[in-house]
């Protein structure tokens, strides 16, 4: 029996074999096997299975590298070997007992046009893993893949041209455990039987264009550990889950989901990651299971209400690394218990209705890199213990609150931060601490709209990275000599005298916005800004923007 005749028999039931189409990959795979293949496998009764698998591997290689790739010098060296040894840079075909059991190609696409997964892949009856990440695979996935008896892992992540409907046969498989189809172009609804599998433990369908609702049977699979449906267009409620399930990761972020967050999810005993940000969820945040070891919780940009005390009550402080809740309607006070969660890198609670004072226990959060309670109803003083947060690299945001008292001198210890530091729109009093001069890496400092007094300490000359200083609408006095090298200073509404800047330094005039009670006293002229109807000629100033006085 010839090679063509043998392979044609495998296409039984088709009106014509693809070998009749010279444009098909199947035609060129047969041509290569019969006339070019340097391995020169003879067709015998004993080599039928090996011949069929070699044909499928050649066909699949055509999908990945094209006919040009098969003809390269490097390929010729590889194809001298049995197909079970076709590997390069960790990619290729891997076998068990002489049968192909694993196909792995990641970022390995050299074909000029779009490749399609050949249905003939199902002839590899011992295949356990098919991993084709970040290639240029297009078209649709053959539903027959769901019938492969030993296939356990199917991974096509990052093939942006691969789309169509997700075959429901995948969820009827008795062997498929991992389905990874994220960052493709699948559309339509989530298959109705997504929760029917008795063996599947990982479903990752994020970053597609899936629509409709999440089937209610999703949460009925006892084996399900990882669910990722993020970045789609899904609507409707989140289904309930079996209370004694094995769920570890649940990600439905960036959809259009509505309703409440089921307590059957937050109380999952093995839950480690809960990501539901950017949806339209409502109600209170349900409590987590006793001694919950969740490490990531992201609830941002929904419409949750209520306080944080019950949410944090059962969480293990030694586990939680991410707790993001901003963009909701949270109220109540800041829990003292929050200071126990020392692994948190982002203490970020802006835009809330939280009230009361900031507990001193927040100073224990020494792994924190960003800190914010901006635009809230927080009152009281700024805890001096915040000076212990020496790992802050970015923002310290306490603007638009109801804070009183002074700026703690201990904040001068946060020397690794580039900022911004923002204390604007509060009721802070006292002077600018000289200890802030230690913040040599700080870029932006904003204390606008407070009741700060005194002069700018000379130590601020050490803030060599500071390029934006906003001190307007306070009661500062004296000169701006200590910040003369800062490129942008907004100092309107103070009692300042700035001789050096306004005599011969026009750019700084506009940056300062001189309205208010500032007096300019130069050697050749004098102008008092109290009288905004007067516009005089200042020494060395070629152009004056009179709008700054209006």
């Amino acid at each position: 029996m010839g090679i063509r005749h043998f392979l044609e028999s495998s296409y039984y039931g088709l009106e014509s074999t693809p070998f009749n189409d010279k444009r098909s990959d199947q035609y060129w795979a047969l041509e290569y096997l019969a006339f070019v293949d340097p391995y020169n496998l003879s067709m015998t009764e004993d080599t039928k299975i090996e011949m069929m698998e070699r044909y499928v591997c050649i066909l699949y290689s055509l999908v990945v590298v094209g006919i040009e790739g098969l003809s390269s010098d490097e390929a010729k060296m590889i194809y001298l070997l049995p197909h079970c040894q076709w590997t390069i840079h960790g990619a290729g075909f891997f076998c068990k007992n002489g049968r192909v059991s694993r196909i792995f190609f990641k970022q390995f696409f050299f074909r000029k046009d779009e490749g399609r997964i050949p249905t003939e892949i199902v002839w590899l009856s011992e295949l356990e893993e098919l991993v084709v990440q970040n290639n240029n695979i297009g078209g649709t996935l053959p539903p027959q893949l769901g019938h492969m008896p030993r296939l356990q892992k199917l991974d096509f992540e990052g093939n942006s041209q691969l789309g169509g409907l997700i075959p429901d046969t995948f969820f009827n498989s008795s062997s498929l455990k991992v389905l990874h189809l994220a960052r493709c172009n699948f559309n339509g609804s989530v298959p109705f039987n997504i929760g029917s599998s008795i063996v599947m433990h990982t479903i990752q369908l994020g970053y597609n264009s899936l629509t409709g609702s999440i089937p209610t049977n999703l949460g009925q699979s006892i084996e399900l550990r990882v669910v990722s449906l993020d970045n789609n267009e899904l609507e409707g409620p989140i289904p309930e889950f079996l209370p004694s399930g094995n769920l570890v990761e649940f990600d439905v972020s960036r959809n259009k989901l509505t309703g409440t967050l089921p307590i059957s999810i937050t109380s999952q005993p093995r839950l480690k990651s809960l990501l539901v940000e950017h949806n339209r969820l409502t109600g209170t945040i349900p409590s987590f299971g006793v001694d919950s070891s969740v490490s990531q919780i992201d609830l941002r940009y929904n419409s949750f209400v209520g306080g944080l005390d019950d949410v944090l009550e059962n969480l293990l402080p030694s586990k939680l690394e991410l707790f993001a809740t901003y963009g909701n309607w949270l109220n109540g006070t800041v829990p003292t218990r929050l200071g126990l969660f020392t692994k948190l890198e982002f203490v970020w609670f802006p835009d809330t209705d939280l009230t009361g004072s900031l507990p001193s226990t927040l100073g224990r959060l020494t792994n924190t890199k960003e800190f914010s309670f901006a635009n809230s109803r927080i009152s009281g003083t700024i805890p001096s213990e915040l000076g212990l947060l020496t790992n802050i690299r970015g923002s310290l945001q306490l603007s638009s609150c109801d804070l009183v008292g002074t700026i703690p001198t201990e904040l001068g210890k946060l020397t690794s931060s580039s900022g911004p530091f923002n204390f604007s729109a509060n009721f802070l009093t006292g002077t600018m601490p000289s200890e802030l001069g230690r913040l040599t890496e700080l870029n932006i400092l904003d204390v606008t709209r407070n009741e700060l007094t005194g002069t700018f300490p000379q130590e601020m000359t050490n803030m060599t990275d500071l390029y934006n200083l906003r001190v307007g609408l306070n009661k500062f006095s004296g000169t701006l000599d200590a910040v003369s090298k800062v490129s942008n200073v907004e100092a309107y509404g103070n009692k300042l005298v700035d001789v050096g800047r306004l005599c011969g330094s026009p750019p700084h005039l506009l940056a300062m916005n001189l309205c208010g009670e500032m007096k300019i006293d130069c050697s050749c002229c004098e102008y008092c800004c109290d009288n905004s109807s007067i516009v005089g000629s200042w020494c060395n100033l070629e152009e004056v923007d009179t709008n700054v006085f209006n």
Side-chain angles (χ1 to χ4, degrees):
M1 181 186 294
I3 296 176
R4 173 164 180 155
H5 180 68
F6 165 66
L7 292 175
E8 281 182 335
S9 66
S10 301
Y11 288 99
Y12 177 77
L14 298 179
E15 293 183 3
S16 63
T17 69
F19 300 140
N20 296 328
D21 183 0
K22 293 185 178 182
R23 297 170 300 177
S24 70
D25 288 331
Q26 287 83 354
Y27 172 85
W28 289 107
L30 175 61
E31 288 287 301
Y32 186 90
L33 181 63
F35 303 111
V36 181
D37 187 6
Y39 189 59
N40 197 23
L41 179 65
S42 299
M43 182 67 200
T44 67
E45 191 68 27
D46 294 334
T47 62
K48 282 184 177 180
I49 294 179
E50 184 180 4
M51 183 68 75
M52 178 181 288
E53 291 205 344
R54 191 171 182 87
Y55 164 74
V56 174
C57 291
I58 292 172
L59 176 58
Y60 187 81
S61 298
L62 277 170
V63 169
V64 175
V65 301
I67 191 65
E68 300 88 354
L70 286 182
S71 304
S72 67
D73 292 338
E74 188 176 28
K76 289 177 181 177
M77 295 296 296
I78 294 173
Y79 292 111
L80 280 169
L81 305 171
H83 56 271
C84 287
Q85 299 177 33
W86 289 357
T87 59
I88 180 172
H89 306 308
F93 303 91
F94 304 84
C95 297
K96 287 182 181 179
N97 301 319
R99 303 291 300 277
V100 178
S101 61
R102 182 170 181 254
I103 299 176
F104 182 85
F105 285 90
K106 182 177 181 178
Q107 294 181 328
F108 206 83
F109 203 92
F110 302 109
R111 181 169 169 162
K112 295 179 180 179
D113 58 342
E114 180 185 287
R116 305 291 177 100
I117 294 297
T119 305
E120 292 85 350
I121 206 85
V122 302
W123 296 353
L124 303 177
S125 58
E126 299 295 315
L127 188 65
E128 297 176 0
E129 294 186 11
L130 179 56
V131 179
V132 193
Q133 294 182 354
N134 299 302
N135 287 281
N136 194 28
I137 301 298
T140 59
L141 286 179
Q144 295 90 333
L145 292 174
H147 300 309
M148 298 186 72
R150 298 188 184 278
L151 188 63
Q152 298 180 31
K153 183 176 182 179
L154 192 60
D155 186 347
F156 283 88
E157 179 191 8
N159 290 282
S160 59
Q161 304 303 313
L162 181 64
L165 301 178
I166 297 174
D168 56 29
T169 56
F170 296 166
F171 305 99
N172 292 329
S173 170
S174 60
S175 61
L176 192 58
K177 298 179 180 180
V178 176
L179 180 63
H180 197 344
L181 303 179
R183 300 180 185 275
C184 294
N185 194 30
F186 292 102
N187 54 43
S189 59
V190 177
F192 70 96
N193 59 340
I194 188 173
S196 299
S197 174
I198 59 174
V199 296
M200 190 175 292
H201 59 71
T202 299
I203 300 175
Q204 295 179 308
L205 306 178
Y207 289 91
N208 281 287
S209 300
L210 300 175
T211 57
S213 60
I214 302 174
T216 56
N217 68 354
L218 173 66
Q220 304 308 304
S221 174
I222 192 68
E223 293 297 325
L224 207 52
R225 301 172 201 167
V226 177
V227 174
S228 179
L229 301 173
D230 58 296
N231 290 274
N232 282 286
E233 299 290 332
L234 299 174
E235 300 176 326
I238 298 174
E240 297 283 347
F241 273 66
L242 294 174
S244 58
N246 291 302
L247 191 64
V248 176
E249 299 178 15
F250 186 76
D251 186 356
V252 292
S253 57
R254 298 179 186 274
N255 282 285
K256 301 175 182 178
L257 299 173
T258 55
T260 60
L261 178 60
I263 194 172
S264 61
I265 293 180
T266 60
S267 61
Q268 289 285 309
R270 294 176 176 82
L271 189 66
K272 294 291 188 294
S273 178
L274 175 64
L275 309 178
V276 298
E277 77 271 15
H278 287 270
N279 278 287
R280 301 169 183 176
L281 300 174
T282 56
T284 58
I285 303 169
S287 59
F288 289 78
V290 177
D291 292 335
S292 174
S293 58
V294 176
S295 61
Q296 293 185 314
I297 301 173
D298 196 340
L299 311 171
R300 295 172 297 156
Y301 297 109
N302 283 282
S303 296
F304 291 118
V305 296
L308 296 174
D309 291 272
D310 292 340
V311 181
L312 296 175
E313 182 179 4
N314 292 330
L315 296 173
L316 288 176
S318 61
K319 300 293 183 180
L320 192 62
E321 298 176 0
L322 172 66
F323 185 57
T325 63
Y326 58 91
N328 287 284
W329 301 100
L330 301 180
N331 52 36
T333 59
V334 181
T336 302
R337 180 176 169 79
L338 180 60
L340 300 178
F341 295 85
T342 56
K343 285 192 174 182
L344 289 176
E345 294 188 358
F346 297 92
V347 180
W348 203 254
F349 297 90
D351 305 311
T352 67
D353 286 326
L354 291 172
T355 58
S357 60
L358 293 175
S360 60
T361 55
L362 297 183
R364 301 176 185 174
L365 304 178
T366 53
N367 282 315
T368 298
K369 294 181 172 60
E370 302 266 355
F371 186 97
S372 176
F373 283 87
N375 299 306
S376 66
R377 296 166 60 192
I378 295 297
S379 58
T381 60
I382 301 174
S384 60
E385 288 81 1
L386 296 188
L388 300 174
L389 308 182
T390 54
N391 279 316
I392 286 184
R393 298 291 186 269
S395 299
L396 176 59
Q397 301 272 8
L398 294 173
S399 60
S400 300
C401 297
D402 293 320
L403 295 169
V404 296
T406 61
I407 299 175
T409 59
E410 289 82 359
L411 298 186
K413 299 176 182 179
L414 308 183
T415 56
S416 296
S417 177
S418 60
F421 280 13
N422 193 342
F423 308 110
S424 64
N426 282 287
F427 302 95
L428 299 176
T429 56
T431 61
M432 187 78 80
S434 61
E435 288 80 1
L436 296 188
R438 302 173 187 168
L439 305 179
T440 57
E441 296 184 18
L442 191 66
N443 298 149
I444 300 173
L445 176 60
D446 191 345
V447 295
T448 309
R449 286 186 291 166
N450 281 285
E451 298 177 12
L452 299 171
T453 58
T455 61
F456 296 107
Q458 192 63 28
E459 288 82 357
M460 291 186 73
T461 58
N462 299 323
M463 303 174 73
T464 53
D465 283 356
L466 189 66
Y467 63 80
N468 197 329
L469 175 63
R470 301 167 187 166
V471 296
L473 296 175
N474 280 280
K475 298 178 181 179
F476 289 113
S477 59
T479 71
L480 294 174
D481 292 345
V483 292
S484 60
K485 295 182 180 180
V486 179
S487 59
N488 183 38
V489 178
E490 297 177 11
Y492 55 91
N494 287 282
K495 299 180 178 180
L496 296 167
V497 176
D498 188 17
V499 176
R501 286 198 172 218
L502 295 176
C503 290
S505 302
H508 295 302
L509 171 66
L510 302 183
M512 285 172 49
N513 243 341
L514 292 179
C515 303
E517 300 180 28
M518 176 177 287
K519 184 176 182 180
I520 306 162
D521 192 356
C522 303
S523 58
C524 59
C525 62
E526 184 173 295
Y527 183 83
C528 181
C529 293
D530 289 337
N531 190 347
S532 59
S533 63
I534 301 175
V535 178
S537 298
W538 299 332
C539 51
N540 301 322
L541 297 183
E542 297 179 359
E543 183 178 347
V544 176
D545 186 349
T546 59
N547 290 325
V548 301
F549 300 106
N550 298 328

